[in-house]
Amino acid sequence: LRGDPQASEAPDASFIDHALETRRGLPITLSLIALAVAEAAGVPAFPVALPKHFVVGLGQHDSFVLVDAFGGGRLLRLEDVYAISGIANVEGLAESIGTSTPERVLMRLLANLHTCYLRRGERAPLQRVLSRMLIFDARNAGLWLQRAQLRLDDADFQGASEDVGEA
């Protein structure tokens, strides 16, 4: 598996089945595959949601190596992490590791899809992604209002009204 720098524009790159088929994908998608492989092999692993990138930690939280699935599985040195993520110190890395919960990983994947569909003007899948994001972030007024606008544009006045009420 390897990263595809042009993949960020294609929604398919966010889907694991597509990444397995093409052997290409986004950092987060390839990292999720690597996590599943590590789990199947009995290797302790955890997600690390860096700013601007996504990697896998192999080992325990107190003793681990970072692997860049997007980079073909290369081991990252601390300097590499700083360069690809913009993190400036070990404390920033610790924060990225500590906040990589399953819910946040899923929200980041959905946010990637949101951006893709928004750029492409694909309204129906955008609305579905917003609905899924709202499951995990129901207090986000911006998400409610975006979905309300899509519903209003589709003449779903009742749905739009409900979404505005939730915002």
Side-chain angles (χ1 to χ4, degrees):
L1 300 175
R2 206 163 245 312
D4 180 359
Q6 283 77 36
S8 64
E9 299 298 319
D12 285 349
S14 293
F15 296 108
I16 291 174
D17 60 333
H18 180 77
L20 288 170
E21 181 180 315
T22 63
R23 305 186 61 77
R24 298 284 182 267
L26 298 175
I28 191 169
T29 311
L30 299 176
S31 293
L32 291 173
I33 294 168
L35 285 165
V37 170
E39 182 180 338
V43 175
F46 52 92
V48 180
L50 300 170
K52 304 186 234 175
H53 205 60
F54 202 97
V55 297
V56 174
L58 295 179
Q60 303 299 329
H61 281 82
D62 60 348
S63 177
F64 59 88
V65 295
L66 293 178
V67 177
D68 183 7
F70 189 79
R74 87 180 158 113
L75 295 178
L76 297 176
R77 299 170 308 178
L78 201 49
E79 299 81 36
D80 299 326
V81 173
Y82 295 158
I84 63 175
S85 70
I87 290 177
N89 52 44
V90 174
E91 290 80 16
L93 176 58
E95 184 178 331
S96 289
I97 291 170
T99 59
S100 297
T101 64
E103 293 82 10
R104 287 192 177 182
V105 171
L106 182 56
M107 279 297 286
R108 183 151 167 185
L109 190 59
L110 289 169
N112 288 344
L113 282 168
H114 176 272
T115 300
C116 285
Y117 291 134
L118 189 61
R119 283 186 187 149
R120 296 163 71 103
E122 295 183 28
R123 302 170 49 76
L126 177 59
Q127 189 170 331
R128 287 192 301 272
V129 167
L130 284 166
S131 295
R132 285 164 179 80
M133 293 174 84
L134 285 165
I135 293 169
F136 296 98
D137 195 3
R139 295 181 187 203
N140 187 325
L143 295 176
W144 286 108
L145 293 173
Q146 282 183 50
R147 193 173 76 171
Q149 183 64 56
L150 289 170
R151 287 177 158 185
L152 184 62
D153 293 346
D154 290 340
D156 177 4
F157 304 116
Q158 179 65 34
S161 176
E162 290 169 5
D163 285 353
V164 169
E166 290 291 336

